[in-house]
Amino acid sequence: MQQFFNSKSVLNQSVQIEIAQAKEISLVIKREDVLHPEVSGNKFRKLKYNLIAAKEQRADTLLTFGGAFSNHIAATAAAGKEFGFNTIGIIRGDELTDKVAENPTLSFAQQCGMQFKFISRQQYRKKMNPDFLAQLKNEFGNFYMLPEGGTNDLAIKGCEEILTEEDENFDCICVAVGTGGTIAGLINSAKKHQKVLGFPALKGDFLRNEISLLASNKNWQLMTNYHFGGYGKINDKLITFINQFKEETNILLDPIYTGKMLFGILDLINKGYFKRGNKILAVHTGGLQGILGINKKLQQKGLPIIIE
Ligand SMILES: *Cc1c(COP(=O)(O)O)cnc(C)c1O
C-alpha cells in the first residue's frame, strides 16, 4: 500500500494568464487533481497514513461522514475498494435515502461497495457524540473511523508531502480550505521565506482558530472574501470564470473549492496584492467528481453549467 501511495507523482504546470503576465507574476498549478482518477487530490494525501494505520490495526471496515456531493465520501469508497476495506458512509440528509440513483457521487460510492446510513441534518450535527458513536459500533461492529472531510493528525502528515524540494523557489503557496487539514500540512512543510494563503470555501471565522491549533507555524493567512456566499454556493460569475479558465489553460476547476480559490488569486493579482516578480504555486486539490452532480442541479434550475 505504501508503494502505491509513494509511486504517484505530481506535475507543476505553468499557466499563461494575461492579468498575471502583465504584472510579471508567475502562476503555477500543482496538479494534485491528476494523482489518481478516483481518489483525487488532497483526499488521496489525507487517506494515505490513515489507511496504513487501519491495515496495521487489522481493521476491515472504514466508516466516515459526508454530504451528498462529498469528495471525501467518493475518495473513501474508491480507496476501500482498491485496498479491500468495507466502507460505510454516514450521510447528511435523510431525504437522500431514496435518491442515490439520481446522485452521481453517492451512486459512484455505492458502486465501489460503500454502505450508507442516512441521518437527518439535526442528528448529523451530533455525529461525534459518544452515544451516537456507540450506536454505530452496535450497528456496524468495529471500524476505523475517518472524521468528516478526513482531517486528523495522520491526514495532516499526508498533506505535508504535497510540497517537495522543487517547490522551494515559490514565494507563495495557495490552497482552498474546507476543514483546514490540507492547509495545515502545507503550513508545516513550507519554508520560512514562503507564505501560505488559504481560500476558505465557507463562511465564518472559526477556521482561523482551527488552523492555528492544527499547524505549527505562523507563515499563513486566510483570504476570506472568496466563498461566494458560503459552502456549496455557486453563481453565474463563478461558473463563467471556471469555463473561461478551462478555455485559456485547459485546466478544469471544481466549483466548491478550486474554482473559488483561483478566482480569488486572480482577483488579488489584479488588485496588486502580490509583488511584481512573485512566484505563486496554487495547489489544485481535485474535487472534479462533484461536477456531474452540481451540473445536474444547475441544469434543473436552468442555469449555465460547467463545461468539462
Ligand atoms: C476536501 C477538499 C478541500 C478542503 O480540504 P481541507 O483539508 O478540508 O481544508 C479542498 N479542495 C478540494 C477539491 C477538496 O475536495
Side-chain angles (χ1 to χ4, degrees):
M1 182 146 60
Q2 190 112 35
Q3 205 175 9
F4 167 87
F5 281 105
N6 291 344
S7 67
K8 309 288 173 178
S9 64
V10 168
L11 178 117
N12 281 352
Q13 182 177 349
S14 179
V15 292
Q16 314 304 326
I17 301 262
E18 232 177 78
I19 309 175
Q21 284 172 325
K23 308 216 171 195
E24 289 167 37
I25 284 166
S26 104
L27 178 60
V28 175
I29 313 285
K30 186 174 275 295
R31 300 293 307 273
E32 295 274 312
D33 58 311
V34 298
L35 263 182
H36 187 279
E38 287 167 344
V39 190
S40 99
N42 62 341
K43 301 305 183 282
F44 180 100
R45 304 287 184 180
K46 292 170 105 173
L47 283 168
K48 175 177 172 180
Y49 290 107
N50 277 295
L51 297 192
I52 290 169
K55 278 272 187 244
E56 276 169 11
Q57 293 169 22
R58 303 192 189 287
D60 57 11
T61 302
L62 306 172
L63 179 140
T64 196
F65 309 88
F69 301 105
S70 166
N71 296 324
H72 170 66
I73 286 287
T76 303
K81 186 178 160 199
E82 177 113 25
F83 298 115
F85 293 102
N86 304 316
T87 51
I88 298 161
I90 311 299
I91 308 296
R92 181 183 61 224
D94 39 11
E95 77 281 2
L96 293 164
T97 308
D98 52 8
K99 299 213 169 76
V100 172
E102 301 163 32
N103 179 303
T105 299
L106 296 178
S107 349
F108 169 77
Q110 191 170 56
Q111 277 157 27
C112 292
M114 186 175 263
Q115 185 187 343
F116 299 128
K117 178 182 175 71
F118 295 93
I119 60 178
S120 69
R121 278 147 216 275
Q122 193 185 3
Q123 197 176 7
Y124 192 84
R125 264 178 253 129
K126 298 187 238 157
K127 62 186 173 306
M128 297 311 273
N129 280 9
D131 280 359
F132 183 63
L133 295 178
Q135 189 192 323
L136 292 177
K137 287 262 180 220
N138 250 340
E139 192 170 340
F140 298 109
N142 278 329
F143 50 75
Y144 184 97
M145 187 178 75
L146 298 157
E148 181 178 42
T151 291
N152 58 16
D153 289 348
L154 291 176
I156 294 172
K157 180 178 170 186
C159 291
E160 289 171 4
E161 296 177 355
I162 295 174
L163 293 177
T164 67
E165 268 175 33
E166 69 180 68
D167 299 326
E168 286 177 13
N169 59 348
F170 288 100
D171 302 296
C172 183
I173 320 287
C174 296
V175 70
V177 176
T179 61
T182 308
I183 194 172
L186 293 170
I187 293 166
N188 291 347
S189 62
K191 298 291 168 196
K192 280 210 172 59
H193 66 89
Q194 296 181 313
K195 185 160 178 184
V196 183
L197 286 190
F199 294 78
L202 46 140
K203 265 200 270 201
D205 253 354
F206 64 97
L207 272 171
R208 204 162 273 133
N209 288 331
E210 304 255 308
I211 295 167
S212 39
L213 295 175
L214 298 172
S216 53
N217 298 322
K218 298 205 158 28
N219 55 340
W220 58 278
Q221 197 178 343
L222 294 184
M223 296 296 162
T224 52
N225 288 333
Y226 301 105
H227 54 63
F228 283 77
Y231 187 73
K233 296 277 191 312
I234 297 165
N235 63 21
D236 285 3
K237 201 167 153 188
L238 180 65
I239 301 297
T240 306
F241 169 75
I242 288 171
N243 288 335
Q244 195 183 334
F245 191 83
K246 170 83 196 311
E247 215 172 274
E248 286 177 24
T249 64
N250 211 22
I251 298 174
L252 183 60
L253 303 171
D254 82 291
I256 311 291
Y257 295 104
T258 56
K260 293 181 179 181
M261 169 190 67
L262 266 146
F263 184 96
I265 294 171
L266 292 176
D267 189 55
L268 290 172
I269 292 177
N270 206 19
K271 289 180 171 152
Y273 176 86
F274 298 100
K275 290 200 194 96
R276 203 164 267 275
N278 264 182
K279 293 189 166 66
I280 303 171
L281 181 68
V283 182
H284 192 323
T285 39
L288 303 177
Q289 69 81 28
I291 291 177
L292 219 58
I294 286 155
N295 268 347
K296 230 172 145 172
K297 251 175 55 177
L298 291 170
Q299 227 154 11
Q300 281 162 3
K301 292 185 190 162
L303 297 171
I305 62 163
I306 299 162
I307 299 152
E308 291 198 56

